[in-house]
Amino acid sequence: MRWNRKDLLGIEDLSVEEINHFLDTAFSFREISTRPIKKVPALRGKTIVNLFFEPSTRTRTSFELAGKRLSADILNITTAASSLVKGETLIDTAANLEAMKIDMMIMRHSASGAPHFLASRVKASVINAGDGSHEHPTQALLDMLTIKDKLGKIEGVNVVIVGDILHSRVARSNIWGLTKLGANVSVCAPRTLIPRFIEKLGVKVYCNVYEAVRDADVVYILRIQLERQKSNYFPSIREYARLFGIDREKLRHLKKNAVIMHPGPINRDVELSGDVADGENSVILEQVTNGLAVRMAALYLCSGGDIESEDTY
Amino acid sequence: MKILIKGGRIIDPASGTDAVMDVLVERSGVTKMGKNISSPSAKRLDADGLIVSPGFIDMHTHLREPGREDEETIESGSRSGIAGGFTALVPMANTDPVADNVEVINFLNAQAEKHAWTHIYPVGSVTRGLEGKAITEIGEFKEAGAVAISDDGRPVVNSKVFTLALDYASMFGLPIISHCEDVFLTEGGCMNEGLNSTILGLPGMPSAAEEIMVARDIAIARLTGGKVHIAHVSCARSVELVRAAKRDGVHVTAETAPHYFSLTDDAVKTYDTNAKMNPPLRTAEDVTAIKEGLRDGTIDSIATDHAPHTQVEKKVAFIEAPFGIVGLETCLPLVITRLVNDGVLTLSQAVAKLTVGPARILNLPMGKLEVGARADITVFDPAYEFTVDTSTFQCKCRNSPFNGWRLKGGAVHVIVDGQLRLHDRRLVG
């Protein structure tokens, strides 16, 4: 199996073989970050732009570090999402970067489909680092790598995603990926935050967190945007934390070795209590470590690394 | 000028005529219809194998003049209309400035007099500035030639204002063309709410938002006895509501647009902004219901909701793009291909939706092909097969989801007010 895609836009389009190949590649990259000299020449001479139209620290840092460990030249363009950051501007920005012979663009944008819009208009590779409520493929891949690591497999594993499913690109990408790899996926949220027809993607829907987590091997907790409360999706942070926040008390209803995951950053004591986040079931920091390996794999594979040579790292 | 249309199949749904006949046009009227008419001085149009019908009427067009002449003008929009077989357009009032006073309507009439290729029947707004608060001087609009009132682009949210407007408009016999949308339910939305919006991560606009307002408008039409025309019906429940209201004798009529029987929200899957319009494309079930509504007469008319937007406006991320697509030049081919050839409507039923249907709703002096009628005539070829190429459109904009589609049906000759405006598919200026 070789990776033939120029872009990584979402998990929906990926085949099981592609996902597995990606995870294998990421797995082999993880070792690089444990070396005394954490750098390989795989992408030497390649220029990568981090194009972030939405604030992000960890994803951007993770991509930047991934590029640097592969010896690429990587630069950051960060623009707060504003009404000025619209289509023609986006095309113009991309055209300008192309004119400077950029090899790859990593893009985050608040509009669903923005990276697809970009990818159809530039020759450079485009990696989606999160588009609106649509997809966040590298997050799902790092989550899958973590689950595979911790539980030894993905097939047959019971995963519950708890939180704002409606607005979550992380949930969508994970649903695509995990269901493709044979996991049993459920979602759990206030009814107002569950998008209609989500069950058609092959997931079970729960509004009661105790029922949802009973058989879970993985409890994947999403960050709750505090401003959703202002839009009436739930009446108060307090009630959200009480009904859906995962804390010590709810942890007692989980299997003993169940794994707690979160894409970060955490609202401590809202969707996840501090002690559980830092507790023995939590693999949140391992997700971050795997994130770096996954992003190295993304840069490597989309730059044609698989096609050009078998073993440059 | 005399024009003799020879050997065409006359389809006039108003009179039930369906026969091969010649038609003689003198000055602005139809003076003779029958077999073997001869008139050596007349310009002869060969219509062998073609359909000769009353001129098409688009009762829902956005011509963008005044205000957005970069998108469309009365001239360019009506030229597009002629290419699509239309002899009359009904431009909506949501221009800039809004057609909320008689001066704007007079301006439209004056521009139409000078530049229009088709008849232009203006529409005044229901409320000042489309704000949904104060009703407009509908009496003056009527005197200036308005054929309906509408805040199209948005609903009249306040039910009391809608009731007063309907009562007031009924004095002048003018219908309200109602854009049915519960704007609270659609706020922030950009496509149909359903499985596709869930997958695409785009905020949805549920069909319930349309249904609610259709139900409200019917209730108010029942209350007042006023005439409500439901614009651009897109979903199954709206069809059911209108059907039931008509059965009860409520003065309600309805239109749909070709995209609502030709596309589903699957067209949004590629984030194609040319598949973004309001109301949004719905599901296959809705398409079936729309077709059934057309077939059983619940939906009286097919209108384009022609809404030009420039490439710059449309070449953006989906959520940021404006709503609307152009439709004048793809309407007839979609009607022929998707309704007639697929067995939903007979040719006569299809022609009715484009002629006598809208003419009756708006009380227009057209929609019939008979001796004594004004000579607004469309001659079309239902077998003409072609590939849609938006770059050949007469309208100023290219925002169509049908680019590249293989379709059948096209206008060949168009006569407006006795003048030949389209001859062998070429515009005659």
Side-chain angles (χ1 to χ4, degrees):
Chain A
M1 157 92 218
R2 277 169 187 244
W3 182 268
N4 286 314
R5 290 174 186 267
K6 163 178 96 81
D7 309 309
L8 177 61
L9 299 176
I11 305 291
E12 182 185 358
D13 301 332
L14 299 185
S15 67
V16 172
E17 292 71 33
E18 283 175 307
I19 295 171
N20 280 326
H21 179 63
F22 196 107
L23 295 179
D24 291 344
T25 308
F27 184 79
S28 64
F29 270 121
R30 200 164 58 185
E31 179 266 334
I32 294 168
S33 296
T34 64
R35 296 178 190 173
I37 300 194
K38 302 177 179 59
K39 206 169 175 98
V40 293
L43 296 185
R44 193 165 55 194
K46 300 274 187 193
T47 315
I48 301 173
V49 183
N50 252 335
L51 206 51
F52 275 59
F53 293 92
E54 212 182 49
S56 156
T57 308
R58 67 188 65 205
T59 304
R60 189 181 53 72
T61 307
S62 181
F63 270 112
E64 187 174 352
L65 216 46
K68 286 183 168 159
R69 296 222 164 135
L70 296 173
S71 304
D73 296 310
I74 185 156
L75 55 137
N76 293 302
I77 297 177
T78 318
T79 320
S82 77
S83 57
L84 290 174
V85 186
K86 284 193 173 177
E88 278 306 72
T89 311
L90 187 54
I91 295 175
D92 286 345
T93 308
N96 276 275
L97 293 170
E98 282 246 287
M100 289 184 264
K101 311 298 175 204
I102 299 294
D103 298 295
M104 196 176 282
M105 300 180 194
I106 297 159
M107 188 199 206
R108 168 166 290 190
H109 202 286
S110 60
S112 299
H116 309 69
F117 177 81
L118 186 69
S120 64
R121 285 168 176 81
V122 298
K123 281 193 222 73
S125 292
V126 175
I127 293 179
N128 181 4
D131 64 320
S133 306
H134 179 224
E135 283 232 40
H136 191 354
T138 57
Q139 179 69 47
L141 288 161
L142 76 88
D143 294 331
M144 288 186 272
L145 185 61
T146 308
I147 292 170
K148 210 173 164 184
D149 238 22
K150 284 285 137 188
L151 302 172
K153 58 172 185 173
I154 291 176
E155 194 171 354
V157 167
N158 298 326
V159 182
V160 182
I161 306 172
V162 183
D164 182 356
I165 312 296
L166 179 63
H167 299 95
S168 177
R169 52 197 175 211
V170 174
R172 282 173 182 75
S173 285
N174 266 308
I175 288 168
W176 287 120
L178 290 168
T179 54
K180 278 174 204 263
L181 296 192
N184 307 311
V185 183
S186 313
V187 296
C188 177
R191 194 76 237 180
T192 47
L193 290 172
I194 292 175
R196 297 191 201 286
F197 304 111
I198 189 83
E199 67 282 357
K200 291 198 175 168
L201 301 185
V203 303
K204 275 197 204 138
V205 177
Y206 292 94
C207 292
N208 179 313
V209 86
Y210 294 100
E211 284 173 28
V213 301
R214 201 163 45 208
D215 299 318
D217 301 303
V218 176
V219 179
Y220 194 104
I221 298 147
L222 297 170
R223 178 179 165 79
I224 188 86
Q225 303 282 344
L226 300 181
E227 62 266 25
R228 302 285 177 224
Q229 183 247 324
K230 293 195 193 88
S231 320
N232 264 328
Y233 285 103
F234 51 89
S236 68
I237 303 288
R238 191 179 63 158
E239 177 148 307
Y240 183 86
R242 205 177 134 101
L243 296 177
F244 295 94
I246 303 295
D247 54 16
R248 275 273 158 228
E249 197 274 313
K250 293 198 187 75
L251 197 64
R252 287 197 285 115
H253 293 81
L254 266 63
K255 288 188 192 170
K256 219 179 178 76
N257 52 352
V259 165
I260 301 285
M261 298 174 73
H262 191 292
I266 304 167
N267 294 303
R268 282 181 181 252
D269 297 341
V270 181
E271 72 264 11
L272 182 60
S273 69
D275 50 356
V276 176
D278 303 331
E280 55 194 12
N281 298 69
S282 166
V283 297
I284 293 169
L285 292 175
E286 285 158 89
Q287 288 174 266
V288 178
T289 305
N290 286 330
L292 183 56
V294 157
R295 277 148 194 149
M296 287 167 81
L299 300 182
Y300 177 78
L301 292 173
C302 290
S303 70
D306 233 14
I307 298 159
E308 281 163 21
S309 78
E310 279 290 272
D311 201 4
T312 49
Y313 52 92
Chain B
M1 187 183 184
K2 278 191 189 176
I3 302 169
L4 179 61
I5 308 168
K6 283 295 278 184
R9 177 178 161 199
I10 312 292
I11 293 186
D12 179 41
S15 62
T17 307
D18 184 346
V20 174
M21 271 195 279
D22 301 339
V23 179
L24 183 66
V25 171
E26 290 178 275
R27 286 190 296 277
S28 64
V30 174
T31 52
K32 254 189 204 172
M33 287 172 71
K35 302 268 181 201
N36 305 317
I37 298 173
S38 85
S39 173
S41 62
K43 184 177 179 70
R44 188 187 151 109
L45 300 180
D46 188 14
D48 255 1
L50 305 181
I51 307 295
V52 181
S53 86
F56 299 163
I57 302 158
D58 183 24
M59 66 176 300
H60 195 132
T61 324
H62 295 275
L63 293 179
R64 304 298 190 217
E65 187 177 350
R68 284 307 300 270
E69 290 84 352
D70 60 321
E71 290 178 330
E72 200 77 287
T73 60
I74 287 166
E75 197 277 332
S76 66
S78 60
R79 193 152 32 89
S80 177
I82 290 289
F86 290 95
T87 57
L89 306 180
V90 180
M92 291 295 125
N94 63 340
T95 48
D96 182 16
V98 174
D100 64 358
N101 62 82
V102 77
E103 294 306 324
V104 176
I105 291 174
N106 287 338
F107 169 81
L108 265 168
N109 286 332
Q111 289 296 91
E113 183 70 34
K114 272 186 272 182
H115 304 299
W117 291 68
T118 62
H119 297 287
I120 301 288
Y121 292 106
V123 169
S125 71
V126 181
T127 63
R128 291 203 186 128
L130 308 174
E131 283 175 353
K133 292 176 188 154
I135 62 168
T136 50
E137 291 146 330
I138 300 166
E140 280 188 12
F141 297 173
K142 166 87 175 180
E143 283 170 30
V147 295
I149 55 170
S150 180
D151 274 2
D152 181 64
R154 54 176 87 163
V156 177
V157 172
N158 184 318
S159 301
K160 179 73 181 176
V161 174
F162 192 77
T163 304
L164 292 169
L166 203 53
D167 264 330
Y168 194 80
S170 69
M171 288 195 296
F172 311 102
L174 294 183
I176 294 186
I177 298 173
S178 181
H179 170 118
C180 290
E181 177 182 0
D182 181 325
V183 292
F184 302 104
L185 211 40
T186 58
E187 193 181 345
C190 63
M191 70 172 293
N192 181 49
E193 183 171 305
L195 179 60
N196 280 325
S197 67
T198 288
I199 290 172
L200 293 166
L202 291 170
M205 308 163 81
S207 52
E210 178 175 313
E211 199 186 321
I212 287 166
M213 286 304 252
V214 171
R216 183 205 71 169
D217 286 3
I218 287 169
I220 295 174
R222 200 191 299 268
L223 173 71
T224 59
K227 287 194 271 185
V228 172
H229 174 73
I230 309 296
H232 41 55
V233 168
S234 74
C235 64
R237 293 275 176 193
S238 299
V239 177
E240 279 179 35
L241 287 163
V242 172
R243 184 178 290 130
K246 282 188 164 184
R247 206 165 42 217
D248 293 352
V250 179
H251 292 151
V252 60
T253 53
E255 78 193 23
T256 190
H259 37 280
Y260 301 120
F261 59 71
S262 303
L263 289 169
T264 66
D265 65 358
D266 283 351
V268 182
K269 277 183 173 170
T270 54
Y271 292 102
D272 178 6
T273 57
N274 290 327
K276 179 174 176 179
M277 72 290 287
N278 187 11
L281 297 171
R282 308 284 188 190
T283 65
E285 228 170 83
D286 295 300
V287 168
T288 304
I290 298 276
K291 286 180 177 170
E292 180 53 28
L294 283 163
R295 203 196 54 74
D296 74 4
T298 301
I299 300 175
D300 309 86
S301 149
I302 295 168
T304 66
D305 199 5
H306 180 83
H309 289 290
T310 64
Q311 295 286 86
V312 172
E313 290 175 287
K314 277 286 195 183
K315 263 168 110 183
V316 295
F318 192 86
I319 197 166
E320 292 160 352
F323 292 105
I325 63 169
V326 293
L328 287 166
E329 289 165 74
T330 47
C331 181
L332 173 64
L334 288 166
V335 167
I336 297 292
T337 310
R338 291 301 173 109
L339 299 179
V340 179
N341 293 352
D342 284 358
V344 178
L345 298 183
T346 64
L347 206 44
S348 176
Q349 286 171 324
V351 167
K353 307 291 180 191
L354 294 166
T355 57
V356 66
R360 277 189 190 143
I361 294 164
L362 301 175
N363 196 24
L364 303 181
M366 56 194 301
K368 292 174 187 172
L369 183 52
E370 59 193 15
V371 172
R374 193 170 69 191
D376 298 315
I377 301 171
T378 300
V379 181
F380 65 94
D381 181 357
Y384 175 67
E385 194 171 354
F386 72 109
T387 302
V388 178
D389 177 359
T390 54
S391 70
T392 65
F393 280 0
Q394 295 296 326
C395 58
K396 282 193 174 186
C397 293
R398 302 287 170 260
N399 51 312
S400 167
F402 302 112
N403 192 37
W405 280 40
R406 195 83 188 143
L407 295 175
K408 276 188 183 174
V412 180
H413 311 299
V414 176
I415 296 168
V416 180
D417 213 8
Q419 300 291 311
L420 188 60
R421 305 317 300 259
L422 189 77
H423 184 206
D424 285 333
R425 301 196 178 87
R426 290 220 172 86
L427 289 138
V428 184

